Amino acid sequence: MRNYFFLLITTLLFTSCVTSQKATKNTFAKGADVGWLPQMEATGYQFFDSDGNKKDCLHWLKVRGLNSIRLRVFVNPSDDKASGHCSKEETISMALRAQKLGMSVMIDFHYSDSWADPGQQNKPAAWAALDMTALQTAVYDHTFSVMTTLKSNGISPEWVQVGNETNDGMLWPEGKASVNMTNYAKLFIAGYNAVKAVNPVSKVMVHISNGFDNALFRWNLDGLKSNGATWDVTAMSLYPNASNWATLNAQCLTNMNDMVARYNKPVMVCEVGMSWTDSASCKSFITDIIQKTKSISGNKGLGVFYWEPESYNNWQGYTLGAFNNAGRPTVALSGFN
């Protein structure tokens, strides 16, 4: 009889472990973009828990309930504030750190030597003289190279952004969507094809800012679709303040539901942030946007990521982190837990 109960308990534990492992593939992503972390560590920044104990930042984020890490990639990092960071090599190193902690990885291709966002989508210096055909090849080759190096290091990104906040396309002027939507689509397709050639299971994302702006999303994604592009996930940014977060969250939910219905693609909020001085409001904001994203029918709300929560003490002039000036966490990230 004792052997029977031992066998029964062992079987139940094994079944539980297998079920848990299978479920992780469908786990809601609670993540952080930490592209600045290596530079902060190299500059001497340290991180502490609420009791003042020194902690490894990634490990601390995992303890606080985050399960995913987002990393940006510049082509040939040249920005003075980047100082060579966010290179392919550094991205590999950070992805390995995250993966060793059991965290999923998102790769964010900027297709620039510096920041690409709604106000700037500057071509890498090495691509400056390329015509449209050559630009497509450059996008494919760069994406393929980074993805191949990730794969050779045992890293399989769960998600890959082809472009960062491409509200008006990428690689201006050739790929500026308001001028030439077809070119924008061609460049996106080149990146998409490169990702899938290396790792077909990675989910390719279109990333647009202002997740509350339904008209912007419809214009951009209708343009991609009508020009032959496809994607796996619609990604968005959302940066409210303490006074308007409830309104913007409601508008974002409306937009997310419309994106799912219109394109039959899941959605993700892959950038959020709020001033660290409004940490209580930020916690409420995060809690609410997670609940709203999870509420999307068919489990098509995939996750929420905080952008650079580890930033503190006015790092790079950025004040939307989730640590105070002593390097300790504020209450904001408790919204993920």
Side-chain angles (χ1 to χ4, degrees), residues 51-305:
D51 297 322
N53 301 306
K54 185 179 176 181
K55 297 289 184 182
D56 172 81
C57 185
L58 288 189
H59 183 265
W60 184 92
L61 290 173
K62 183 179 179 181
V63 169
R64 298 295 290 182
L66 279 75
N67 57 28
S68 304
I69 293 299
R70 179 177 185 249
L71 302 166
R72 58 184 166 269
V73 186
F74 296 154
V75 177
N76 294 300
S78 63
D79 190 291
D80 289 340
K81 292 183 178 180
S83 303
H85 291 277
C86 299
S87 64
K88 176 174 71 173
E89 293 74 20
E90 185 175 84
T91 299
I92 305 302
S93 175
M94 286 295 296
L96 285 169
R97 281 178 63 179
Q99 190 162 279
K100 286 178 181 178
L101 288 171
M103 305 176 89
S104 297
V105 174
M106 180 193 299
I107 299 297
D108 175 14
F109 284 98
H110 279 236
Y111 300 115
S112 179
D113 292 337
S114 184
W115 305 95
D117 54 45
Q120 54 186 358
Q121 294 283 338
N122 300 318
K123 288 181 289 187
W127 302 1
L130 300 183
D131 62 17
M132 185 59 199
T133 299
L135 280 174
Q136 292 174 74
T137 301
V139 168
Y140 184 96
D141 289 347
H142 170 66
T143 307
F144 187 90
S145 173
V146 173
M147 291 294 296
T148 300
T149 307
L150 285 164
K151 186 175 183 178
S152 67
N153 281 274
I155 302 161
S156 178
E158 188 75 14
W159 315 275
V160 179
Q161 283 184 215
V162 173
N164 185 74
E165 293 188 329
T166 56
N167 295 24
D168 197 10
M170 64 178 79
L171 294 164
W172 293 348
E174 286 83 358
K176 194 166 190 176
S178 59
V179 176
N180 195 322
M181 183 67 76
T182 299
N183 280 357
Y184 167 41
K186 286 180 178 179
L187 293 168
F188 182 88
I189 291 168
Y192 176 95
N193 288 343
V195 173
K196 295 297 185 178
V198 179
N199 196 344
V201 300
S202 291
K203 301 175 184 69
V204 177
M205 312 171 80
V206 180
H207 176 214
I208 303 169
S209 74
N210 295 340
F212 55 86
D213 189 346
N214 181 248
L216 169 64
F217 277 73
R218 285 190 170 208
W219 171 77
N220 189 297
L221 298 179
D222 281 355
L224 285 176
K225 184 178 178 180
S226 65
N227 282 281
T230 188
W231 62 97
D232 301 315
V233 180
T234 301
M236 52 191 68
S237 304
L238 191 66
Y239 289 96
N241 58 46
S243 64
N244 69 6
W245 68 261
T247 298
L248 294 190
N249 276 10
Q251 292 172 346
C252 186
L253 176 60
T254 298
N255 187 32
M256 286 192 287
N257 279 320
D258 182 60
M259 292 299 98
V260 170
R262 191 174 182 87
Y263 305 107
N264 194 30
K265 308 289 184 184
V267 294
M268 178 181 283
V269 184
C270 64
E271 286 189 25
V272 300
M274 188 183 290
S275 174
W276 70 270
T277 60
D278 294 319
S279 57
S281 295
C282 188
K283 177 187 175 182
S284 298
F285 155 58
I286 291 170
T287 301
D288 185 67
I289 196 61
I290 287 175
Q291 290 173 345
K292 282 179 165 55
T293 306
K294 284 184 173 181
S295 75
I296 297 170
S297 63
N299 294 319
K300 290 191 174 180
L302 301 184
V304 174
F305 281 66

